Amino acid sequence: MVTLESGVYLTALVVGLLGGVHCLSMCGGLVSSLTLGLEARVRRDPLRMLPYQLAYNLGRLTGYAVAGALVGGLGAILLQLDSLQVVQRLLYALAGTVMVLLGLYLAGWWRLLAVVERQGLWLWRRLEPIARRLLPVRRWPQAVIIGFIWAWIPCGLVYSVLLTAVATGGPVEGAVVMLAFGLGTLPNLLGIALLAGAAARVAERVWARQLAGLLVIAFGIYALWQVGFAG
């Protein structure tokens, strides 16, 4: 039987993988700029670049996990405040609604992410100067820190998946949701040509995106059905 948690995990992974076009448009320029401070011989050699790319993404995934743990912890607190499980049903409804919206986005039928992204601009204005002071990158520990800050860049996909993580009702579960999303984005952002090319080709196929969108919408409808059934 598919549980809400398993549906959220799979949704996060699928959204990360097939939302790669959005990730590239949001972060592609940032990824390029992070390499400008490296020596030319490093930039020209994929093997020399790999440790830096891994470091950026290690920091980014760590940032996602921290954010997921925070919102999952918030969900746990909310669940403890209500013994009638009303809050749990509301969280399930929130997760189901967000899944449906994410499915519509993946399928290319409705794009609501620009509205969501604007909500995080105030935080990014405070974090971006910190990242700027770490440039140019010379050593991989710098890349890890910048990657961690990078995780908080205003992104509708990230924020939407975070909303579903709240419904897991636990910091560990919330962190796992965001890690699943982050792992899904790796093929497009890690910088390994073979994987990135394969992921981009899949993400560009309309039938693949629509099939994934329908799957995510189905998870969302199932979560909403659970809310109604519990009532």
Side-chain angles (χ1 to χ4, degrees), residues 23-93:
C23 292
L24 287 174
S25 65
M26 285 287 296
C27 303
L30 176 60
V31 174
S32 299
S33 67
L34 292 177
T35 65
L36 293 179
L38 299 175
E39 297 178 17
R41 62 187 179 88
V42 175
R43 295 200 305 269
R44 289 195 297 263
D45 188 344
L47 290 180
R48 291 178 184 268
M49 279 290 297
L50 183 59
Y52 292 94
Q53 295 289 348
L54 290 173
Y56 293 136
N57 285 282
L58 173 62
R60 184 171 63 90
L61 265 64
T62 301
Y64 287 164
V66 170
L70 289 174
V71 299
L74 174 63
I77 293 172
L78 292 175
L79 290 176
Q80 291 176 359
L81 294 178
D82 193 292
S83 59
L84 298 178
Q85 296 184 331
V86 174
V87 173
Q88 184 180 44
R89 291 172 59 193
L90 289 175
L91 292 179
Y92 271 45

Side-chain angles (χ1 to χ4, degrees), residues 15 18-23 25-26 98 100-108 110-121 154-161 163 181 209:
V15 168
L18 292 182
V21 174
H22 181 78
C23 292
S25 65
M26 285 287 296
V98 173
V100 171
L101 294 177
L102 282 171
L104 291 172
Y105 163 76
L106 280 182
W110 193 27
R111 299 185 180 276
L112 192 64
L113 296 183
V115 176
V116 179
E117 283 165 4
R118 287 198 289 270
Q119 308 311 309
L121 287 176
C155 174
L157 279 182
V158 174
Y159 295 163
S160 298
V161 177
L163 286 174
F181 170 76
R209 291 177 62 84

Side-chain angles (χ1 to χ4, degrees), residues 54-216:
L54 290 173
Y56 293 136
N57 285 282
L58 173 62
R60 184 171 63 90
L61 265 64
T62 301
Y64 287 164
V66 170
L70 289 174
V71 299
L74 174 63
I77 293 172
L78 292 175
L79 290 176
Q80 291 176 359
L81 294 178
D82 193 292
S83 59
L84 298 178
Q85 296 184 331
V86 174
V87 173
Q88 184 180 44
R89 291 172 59 193
L90 289 175
L91 292 179
Y92 271 45
L94 173 64
T97 302
V98 173
M99 284 184 193
V100 171
L101 294 177
L102 282 171
L104 291 172
Y105 163 76
L106 280 182
W109 295 327
W110 193 27
R111 299 185 180 276
L112 192 64
L113 296 183
V115 176
V116 179
E117 283 165 4
R118 287 198 289 270
Q119 308 311 309
L121 287 176
W122 66 271
L123 176 61
W124 181 244
R125 291 192 186 103
R126 289 160 176 78
L127 293 177
E128 191 269 340
I130 300 174
R132 194 186 309 125
R133 285 196 290 270
L134 293 171
L135 296 173
V137 173
R138 303 293 186 186
R139 297 178 177 84
W140 68 264
Q142 286 176 272
V144 173
I145 298 172
I146 290 178
F148 183 86
I149 298 173
W150 173 11
W152 305 86
I153 190 172
C155 174
L157 279 182
V158 174
Y159 295 163
S160 298
V161 177
L162 274 173
L163 286 174
T164 66
V166 176
T168 62
V172 174
E173 293 83 355
V176 172
V177 169
M178 293 308 296
L179 281 175
F181 170 76
L183 290 173
T185 64
L186 279 181
N188 279 295
L189 293 178
L190 188 56
I192 300 177
L194 179 61
L195 289 179
R201 285 193 295 273
V202 172
E204 288 171 355
R205 294 186 182 276
V206 175
W207 68 265
R209 291 177 62 84
Q210 291 183 347
L211 182 62
L214 288 172
L215 177 64
V216 173

Side-chain angles (χ1 to χ4, degrees), residues 1 85 89 92-93 221-231:
M1 180 179 178
Q85 296 184 331
R89 291 172 59 193
Y92 271 45
I221 292 174
Y222 178 71
L224 293 172
W225 176 82
Q226 282 185 312
V227 175
F229 184 76

